[in-house]
Amino acid sequence: MSNLEQTLSIIKPDAVERNLQDEIKKKFVENGFSIKDEKKIQISKNEAEEFYKVHQSKPFYGELCNYLSSGPIVVMILEKENAVIENRKLMGATDPSKAENGTLRKMYGISIDKNSVHGSDSLDNAKIEIEFFFKN
Ligand code: CMP
């Protein structure tokens, strides 16, 4: 049965700074994702706080929002069968040092903060996150 989904992906400042966006986009395409929309932007700290509000109570929230707003990012709508879980598999564990070989965070991530990519963690959040960046 077909289960075509869309998920939101962000190439984070550490990866854009190292000019890795084309290489990372190629990995998505090679792994069967289509990039339905994309843009390179820089967001404000307020926007980062809104985007990451599910993490509001976490000790790393402030740093996380400073970081996401610290430089240009590439935001993308990715489409594939079971895109949410498939993207999470391709990204690997949040902490690059714990991510499996071949995953994006293992290949490109520097630290748990500078882990190169973000991906929606559920279909509900994917809808919210896509709307956040791609509302008209
Ligand atoms: P991301 O998938 O973008 O979602 C929230 C981010 O918080 C996560 O990736 C990490 O980069 C960052 N983060 C920093 N510290 C932690 C932590 N201790 N646990 C989980 N995420 C963390």
Side-chain angles (χ1 to χ4, degrees):
M1 205 181 79
S2 163
N3 191 34
L4 199 61
E5 293 177 354
Q6 291 188 341
T7 190
L8 184 92
S9 171
I10 304 178
I11 303 177
K12 294 189 182 185
D14 66 273
V16 176
E17 190 175 74
R18 286 175 287 154
N19 210 19
L20 290 169
Q21 63 267 37
D22 288 344
E23 197 171 323
I24 293 176
K25 281 195 282 187
K26 195 168 155 223
K27 297 279 179 202
F28 285 122
V29 173
E30 280 171 1
N31 281 275
F33 292 90
S34 13
I35 301 171
K36 303 301 283 187
D37 205 348
E38 62 171 288
K39 57 186 176 184
K40 187 177 177 189
I41 52 172
Q42 183 161 0
I43 61 171
S44 67
K45 178 145 189 219
N46 279 347
E47 288 168 319
E49 285 170 348
E50 173 65 20
F51 179 75
Y52 273 136
K53 67 182 176 201
V54 292
H55 294 298
Q56 224 157 16
S57 63
K58 310 270 174 62
F60 55 84
Y61 180 63
E63 273 310 301
L64 178 61
C65 299
N66 281 334
Y67 172 61
L68 195 71
S69 56
S70 68
I73 58 176
V74 176
V75 292
M76 293 169 289
I77 300 175
L78 300 181
E79 188 173 272
K80 188 185 173 176
E81 295 282 311
N82 306 308
V84 172
I85 184 77
E86 288 296 310
N87 182 34
R88 292 185 70 75
K89 279 195 222 158
L90 180 59
M91 288 192 301
T94 307
D95 182 345
S97 70
K98 297 187 177 131
E100 281 181 40
N101 283 339
T103 62
L104 298 177
R105 284 166 169 167
K106 180 70 173 190
M107 286 188 280
Y108 305 116
I110 296 168
S111 65
I112 195 163
D113 301 294
K114 298 184 174 181
N115 62 358
S116 299
V117 282
H118 166 85
S120 310
D121 66 359
S122 68
L123 196 53
D124 285 346
N125 280 336
K127 291 188 175 119
I128 293 168
E129 292 182 357
I130 288 170
E131 172 77 14
F132 182 86
F133 283 112
F134 292 96
K135 61 186 171 228
N136 298 309

